[in-house]
Amino acid sequence: MTATLIALDWGTSSLRAYRMGAAGRVLESRRLSWGIMHLPPAPGGTADADPAQGFDRAFEAACGDWLRDEPGLPVIACGMVGSAQGWREAAYLDLPTRLDGLAAQLVRVPRGDAAPLHIVPGLIARGTLPNVMRGEETQVAGVLAGLPPARAGGDVLIGLPGTHSKWVDVRAGEVRHFDTFMTGEVYAVLRGHTILGRTMQEAGPPDEAAFARGLDVAGSQAGRLGVLSTIFSCRTLGLTGELGARAQADYLSGLLVGHEVAALAASLAGGGRTPNIVLCGETALCDRYALALERNGLGRPARVHGATERGLWQLAVASGLAAA
Amino acid sequence: MTATLIALDWGTSSLRAYRMGAAGRVLESRRLSWGIMHLPPAPGGTADADPAQGFDRAFEAACGDWLRDEPGLPVIACGMVGSAQGWREAAYLDLPTRLDGLAAQLVRVPRGDAAPLHIVPGLIARGTLPNVMRGEETQVAGVLAGLPPARAGGDVLIGLPGTHSKWVDVRAGEVRHFDTFMTGEVYAVLRGHTILGRTMQEAGPPDEAAFARGLDVAGSQAGRLGVLSTIFSCRTLGLTGELGARAQADYLSGLLVGHEVAALAASLAGGGRTPNIVLCGETALCDRYALALERNGLGRPARVHGATERGLWQLAVASGLAAA
């Protein structure tokens, strides 16, 4: 089937490639381990004269054959490939911005006689505590495109759980603000490198009761001292026999997600806001965040899948690279 | 000079030994690296038949010569040596307790014909989130002994900053409650194992302005989202050029200590309490906590030094091992 666009989601540790047909339909997709910090080595183990050569090799592995089959296909990419450590830096766009503002600022990377690459810029929220994103702006574009127009044009809070979870405040189609929580990365280091991990045993299936217990503690009076204090209970509940070694990791996850979502709920309440909440991300993780939102009185969130692919398509169309 | 007591502060990673004279005066002290997780290996590299042998060797290195010079000296020890991984487990005492309750529960470890060792038990605060301490109970005894009687008998909050900082609520000489914050350990893993550490450069002297800036952020409106969110600003303030690489570690320290002390201040305000606050610990760290307490409206704390030695002496006297 004839393709109309090649779209790349190119992060730190992996690279996803999509060959898209009419209306952004995904005809074929690939996942490679060539994230920008893990590019394919030069043949023969020599050093590259130009750092771009590593990106070129990864690009060839991801979609070289697609472009040989259909030369001249436009190519768009989002994610850390546009960072200072990426192929070409795409400066952050300031908030507030509409997503067609992103489409107008794609950074073109020439590739000689070959098809150029177009990189989506990230976003920056300036202020006392600045926030940045690269890749998530494209998910936001995809989420909005996946909602009914009446909802997409209203007050929407988009949650993107992950290593660094983002909560993106969109009103009338304009990104106004966003916050970052390092919840996923903090969970990993607490488990991997502190005394809390020493008593944890690998569980089989996820222990949802332990997760819910952690959520409840974070939102309770006992949680008021904050996460630096509550996390110690992983250990002490183990010492007193109240929390089994196999339940401790999921309990810790519940504590951290619970503190994140409780803070978010307090912030929304303080601002008098009741936005429509949409979650987008890995399914099991979104299930956990959905439970946290409900327990914090924020209702049942909508869920959107495939936001990155859809966002790349939307931005390609808005920029004129592809035809709607 | 004639000694009256040998006192050991025996933790996970180190062992301090004190040879004390009349009235608990320290005649000589030693610091060894034989913490309970780093005991001296058996001669010739053989495995020990009995785990107690490693403790015996460490004990001999710490004070064997003192006991040969003055056989029959009583010996007291506090810290992780009384944990399940220690020489002999000394069960936690429940709260509330007076410190003479600790003295009545020393656990005697016989050593054949040699002088027995007496281990101070730790404390446990039961409840939704239990808390435990081992070693800090002895510091608390030492702090109270170092205060004027009128203050020691009042409402005192004792702060013991460190890897796991403890805040101990003492009223009329009775330990009522305590909380733990894993601030020091969380700081170490954020710095050593997350993306935040990657942009930090070793500073020369401590950057107190950066520390104070972190404190202020934690206590501000921007800090309301909690520590999982504010810590990301170490990175983003670096990206925007607002925080130098050499200032990031101290800024992170300020954020974490600031969140801890702000939570403590809110908890005290919620309980309508205005205790006398006393800090005890490493001087530079106590300086930072003192600044955090002042910025959070908790006044200028008193400072006590040498609390562990004094506490060991007090407990030895209260138990009849030594004469006041």
Side-chain angles (χ1 to χ4, degrees):
Chain A
M1 191 176 285
T2 305
T4 59
L5 180 71
I6 292 174
L8 306 177
D9 172 13
W10 202 338
T12 302
S13 53
S14 72
L15 165 56
R16 283 174 186 271
Y18 302 92
R19 186 172 151 262
M20 295 183 176
R25 185 171 155 218
V26 175
L27 305 176
E28 191 177 350
S29 71
R30 293 171 178 167
R31 183 183 179 136
L32 298 93
S33 59
W34 306 127
I36 69 155
M37 293 301 181
H38 310 92
L39 295 172
T46 56
D48 286 328
D50 178 347
Q53 291 174 272
F55 289 98
D56 253 328
R57 285 192 295 274
F59 184 87
E60 166 62 28
C63 59
D65 57 339
W66 292 344
L67 281 165
R68 276 188 292 279
D69 286 353
E70 296 181 79
L73 277 181
V75 189
I76 190 170
C78 70
M80 291 300 281
V81 68
S83 70
Q85 294 76 40
W87 198 344
R88 182 69 57 90
E89 187 166 4
Y92 293 111
L93 252 66
D94 276 279
L95 298 190
T97 188
R98 301 185 67 82
L99 295 167
D100 46 14
L102 281 171
Q105 299 288 334
L106 301 187
V107 170
R108 191 169 181 277
V109 183
R111 298 177 55 251
D113 293 340
L117 176 75
H118 300 84
I119 301 181
V120 180
L123 297 181
I124 184 165
R126 299 190 191 272
T128 314
L129 304 187
N131 269 293
V132 293
M133 60 167 63
R134 277 201 192 276
E136 292 94 343
E137 73 295 324
T138 301
Q139 287 182 283
V140 168
V143 167
L144 293 177
L147 293 178
R151 291 190 76 179
D155 182 357
V156 186
L157 181 67
I158 301 173
L160 305 165
T163 304
H164 295 176
S165 64
K166 305 281 184 190
W167 292 93
V168 188
D169 176 7
V170 184
R171 302 194 211 183
E174 189 175 73
V175 179
R176 295 281 184 89
H177 178 78
F178 61 93
D179 290 303
T180 305
F181 291 80
M182 288 181 60
T183 308
E185 190 171 9
V186 170
Y187 171 76
V189 296
L190 290 177
R191 195 172 165 176
H193 299 283
T194 72
I195 196 172
L196 302 181
R198 284 195 222 150
T199 52
M200 290 177 183
Q201 281 177 19
E202 277 303 326
D207 185 335
E208 297 305 341
F211 176 79
R213 180 174 175 183
L215 279 186
D216 288 345
V217 165
S220 73
Q221 182 67 32
R224 298 270 174 99
L225 287 179
V227 70
L228 294 172
S229 180
T230 60
I231 54 175
F232 192 57
S233 65
C234 296
R235 176 171 173 76
T236 57
L237 289 168
L239 282 172
T240 59
E242 296 168 84
L243 186 70
R246 288 176 199 280
Q248 290 174 21
D250 286 315
Y251 173 74
L252 177 63
S253 170
L255 284 177
L256 297 180
V257 172
H259 280 290
E260 174 182 343
V261 174
L264 186 78
S267 167
L268 290 172
R273 286 182 63 208
T274 53
N276 284 305
I277 300 182
V278 184
L279 286 180
C280 173
E282 194 263 312
T283 304
L285 189 58
C286 285
D287 288 345
R288 293 192 154 195
Y289 273 82
L291 184 63
L293 290 165
E294 288 199 65
R295 295 222 176 190
N296 280 277
L298 295 173
R300 183 183 293 267
R303 304 277 282 266
V304 169
H305 301 280
T308 305
E309 308 88 281
R310 192 183 300 110
L312 284 162
W313 173 257
Q314 292 295 324
L315 293 171
V317 168
S319 68
L321 286 177
Chain B
M1 193 176 285
T2 306
T4 58
L5 179 71
I6 292 174
L8 306 177
D9 172 13
W10 202 336
T12 301
S13 53
S14 71
L15 164 57
R16 283 174 185 270
Y18 302 92
R19 186 171 151 263
M20 294 182 176
R25 187 173 153 216
V26 175
L27 305 177
E28 193 178 348
S29 72
R30 293 173 178 164
R31 182 181 180 138
L32 298 92
S33 59
W34 306 127
I36 69 155
M37 292 303 181
H38 310 93
L39 295 172
T46 57
D48 287 327
D50 178 346
Q53 292 174 274
F55 289 99
D56 253 328
R57 284 190 296 274
F59 184 87
E60 165 61 29
C63 58
D65 56 338
W66 292 345
L67 282 165
R68 275 188 292 280
D69 287 350
E70 298 181 75
L73 278 180
V75 188
I76 189 169
C78 70
M80 292 299 283
V81 67
S83 69
Q85 294 77 39
W87 198 341
R88 183 68 58 88
E89 187 166 4
Y92 293 111
L93 253 65
D94 276 278
L95 299 189
T97 187
R98 302 184 66 82
L99 295 167
D100 45 15
L102 281 172
Q105 299 287 335
L106 301 188
V107 170
R108 190 169 182 276
V109 183
R111 299 178 55 251
D113 293 338
L117 176 74
H118 299 84
I119 301 181
V120 179
L123 297 181
I124 184 164
R126 300 191 191 272
T128 314
L129 304 187
N131 269 292
V132 293
M133 59 166 65
R134 278 198 191 276
E136 292 94 344
E137 73 296 323
T138 302
Q139 288 182 283
V140 168
V143 166
L144 293 177
L147 293 179
R151 291 190 77 180
D155 182 357
V156 186
L157 180 67
I158 300 173
L160 305 166
T163 304
H164 295 177
S165 63
K166 305 281 184 190
W167 292 93
V168 189
D169 177 7
V170 184
R171 302 195 212 181
E174 190 175 71
V175 179
R176 295 279 184 90
H177 177 77
F178 61 93
D179 290 303
T180 304
F181 291 80
M182 288 182 59
T183 308
E185 191 170 8
V186 170
Y187 171 77
V189 296
L190 291 177
R191 195 172 166 177
H193 299 283
T194 72
I195 196 173
L196 302 182
R198 284 195 222 151
T199 53
M200 290 179 183
Q201 281 177 20
E202 278 302 326
D207 185 334
E208 297 305 340
F211 176 79
R213 181 174 175 183
L215 278 186
D216 288 346
V217 166
S220 74
Q221 181 68 32
R224 298 269 174 97
L225 288 179
V227 70
L228 294 171
S229 179
T230 59
I231 54 175
F232 191 57
S233 66
C234 295
R235 176 169 172 76
T236 57
L237 288 169
L239 282 172
T240 59
E242 295 168 85
L243 185 70
R246 289 176 199 280
Q248 290 174 21
D250 286 314
Y251 173 74
L252 177 63
S253 170
L255 284 177
L256 297 181
V257 172
H259 280 289
E260 173 183 343
V261 174
L264 185 78
S267 168
L268 290 173
R273 286 183 62 209
T274 54
N276 285 305
I277 300 182
V278 184
L279 287 180
C280 173
E282 196 261 312
T283 303
L285 190 58
C286 284
D287 288 346
R288 293 192 155 193
Y289 273 82
L291 184 64
L293 289 165
E294 289 200 64
R295 294 222 176 189
N296 279 276
L298 295 173
R300 183 184 292 268
R303 303 278 281 268
V304 169
H305 301 282
T308 305
E309 307 90 280
R310 192 183 300 111
L312 284 163
W313 172 257
Q314 292 294 324
L315 294 171
V317 169
S319 69
L321 285 178

